[in-house]
């Protein structure tokens, strides 16, 4: 058995991986929560803003507050 391991840096809140945390990331997080789009592993990690292993409305609120600071 051969496994390939790839390390990935995750920026909390940067769901679209453009290195900018903005409203586009909020829209993507909302769409993931609503089931409009299927999230990949990076997005699941980056969208879990409070690190509670669940993506939900709390994560959206934290992300919005981060942007408005």
């Amino acid at each position: 058995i051969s496994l390939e391991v790839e390390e990935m840096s995750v920026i909390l809140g940067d769901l679209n991986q453009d290195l900018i945390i903005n409203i586009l990331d909020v829209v993507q997080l909302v769409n993931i929560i609503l089931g409009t789009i299927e999230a990949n592993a990076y997005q699941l990690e980056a969208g879990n803003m409070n690190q509670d292993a669940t993506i939900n409305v709390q994560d959206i609120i934290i992300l919005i507050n981060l942007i408005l600071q």
Side-chain angles (χ1 to χ4, degrees):
I1 297 176
S2 176
L3 297 175
E4 190 173 316
V5 177
E6 183 179 320
E7 187 176 324
M8 100 178 135
S9 278
V10 174
I11 300 172
L12 285 179
D14 185 23
L15 278 82
N16 60 5
Q17 295 179 288
D18 65 355
L19 303 178
I20 302 168
I21 299 173
N22 57 24
I23 191 66
L24 297 176
D25 299 298
V26 175
V27 170
Q28 196 156 20
L29 184 56
V30 169
N31 284 326
I32 289 169
I33 291 171
L34 293 177
T36 307
I37 61 172
E38 189 173 324
N40 60 36
Y42 180 91
Q43 292 167 325
L44 292 175
E45 187 69 28
N48 188 13
M49 298 297 293
N50 58 2
Q51 299 292 287
D52 67 352
T54 304
I55 293 183
N56 55 32
V57 175
Q58 288 178 332
D59 299 302
I60 295 172
I61 293 167
I62 293 168
L63 181 55
I64 291 170
N65 285 334
L66 177 68
I67 293 168
L68 293 177
Q69 286 181 350

